[in-house]
Amino acid sequence: MTPKDSFIAAVRAGLQELADPVKAPEMQAYMKSEMPFAGVAKPGRVTLLKSLPRLGSRSEWLDVVQTLWREATYREERYVALSLSGDKRFQDVSLMPWFDEVIVTGAWWDFVDETASRLIGPLLRSSPEVIRPQMLKWSTDEDRWRRRTSIICQLGSKGATDVELLTACIDANVDDRDFFLRKGIGWALREFAKTEPGWVRSFVDARPSLSPLSRREALKHL
């Protein structure tokens, strides 16, 4: 058995050992997921991740996370793949096609939000010359999850927030009636309001077409 196969087998065996058949359908219903759950909550997954061997090479690591994601039969396998995708040793802009695959094939807020803020956000801050144009392109993409990513990818950026990019990505979607886009706009503004409350209030006041949901979320703590 190859190191890759051994690693994947360890993940699957660990999840089965932690599986809770009572919680599984409840978790699936909450997430409105077609893919079933094994019933492993986040604390159990964190413990499992700590017990796994360290992946040595970048190619081995990427092969493992992509296999876990693409061949998943339980949603928790994808959660583990997403956690592993954040290995700081291997982060660079060449991973964007992989993160894009996660966003488009995952196509739900649990996968998309973590990818946007925890994986793409740091790349935007470290390599804006590459990621910024892509976020601008995604802000008008047909796929709503790419658009949501462009809006919320700067969560946690605080003073390093690219205000022009945030403005462009929100304005490209301000009239869209999609719940996840409206919620994402409000969330992005609410978080930035912790750093620049005056800017956010002025931004909201200048956009009468902003949805009530986005407006309420943006001003929640102001």
Side-chain angles (χ1 to χ4, degrees):
M1 185 179 288
T2 66
K4 167 197 166 184
D5 292 336
S6 297
F7 191 98
I8 291 173
V11 170
R12 290 172 176 163
L15 289 174
Q16 286 302 313
E17 186 176 343
L18 295 166
D20 186 332
V22 175
K23 288 183 178 179
E26 298 172 358
M27 295 169 72
Q28 184 176 359
Y30 170 77
M31 198 53 66
K32 300 178 181 178
S33 172
E34 292 185 9
M35 183 178 290
F37 277 78
V40 184
K42 185 174 182 178
R45 298 196 304 271
V46 170
T47 300
L48 173 59
L49 281 163
K50 290 179 179 177
S51 73
L52 295 171
R54 188 175 176 87
L55 292 165
S57 70
R58 191 178 196 277
S59 60
E60 180 182 64
W61 161 78
L62 189 57
D63 196 10
V64 163
V65 297
Q66 290 181 336
T67 300
L68 278 171
W69 179 272
R70 293 167 181 168
E71 298 182 2
T73 54
Y74 293 100
R75 202 171 186 91
E76 289 91 340
E77 291 174 73
R78 287 192 157 185
Y79 289 150
V80 170
L82 194 51
S83 294
L84 291 170
S85 291
D87 193 321
K88 290 182 170 55
R89 295 175 296 162
F90 306 123
Q91 301 303 298
D92 62 49
V93 296
S94 69
L95 291 174
M96 281 301 292
W98 165 237
F99 296 157
D100 184 36
E101 179 181 335
V102 169
I103 289 165
V104 173
T105 61
W108 201 240
W109 63 266
D110 53 342
F111 297 135
V112 171
D113 292 2
E114 183 168 0
T115 304
S117 61
R118 192 173 70 87
L119 302 178
I120 293 178
L123 288 181
L124 173 62
R125 291 188 287 274
S126 65
S127 304
E129 72 284 354
V130 177
I131 307 301
R132 191 179 195 275
Q134 189 155 6
M135 292 303 99
L136 287 171
K137 184 178 180 181
W138 280 11
S139 71
T140 58
D141 195 271
E142 291 183 1
D143 186 283
R144 67 172 173 176
W145 300 110
R146 284 183 179 139
R147 282 185 279 153
R148 181 175 167 97
T149 295
S150 75
I151 293 165
I152 67 170
C153 65
Q154 296 196 77
L155 292 174
S157 293
K158 299 181 181 179
T161 299
D162 181 336
V163 176
E164 289 185 3
L165 176 62
L166 179 63
T167 299
C169 292
I170 291 176
D171 282 345
N173 293 280
V174 73
D175 295 322
D176 199 293
R177 299 181 63 82
D178 182 84
F179 169 82
F180 290 102
L181 292 174
R182 291 185 168 191
K183 189 77 170 180
I185 289 171
W187 186 15
L189 291 172
R190 185 179 76 232
E191 285 301 303
F192 191 44
K194 296 176 183 178
T195 302
E196 292 287 351
W199 184 92
V200 169
R201 188 176 292 279
S202 297
F203 182 94
V204 170
D205 289 345
R207 286 160 179 78
S209 64
L210 201 66
S211 74
L213 172 60
S214 299
R215 186 179 302 273
R216 184 170 62 251
E217 287 293 315
L219 302 178
K220 191 171 185 177
H221 301 302
L222 295 182

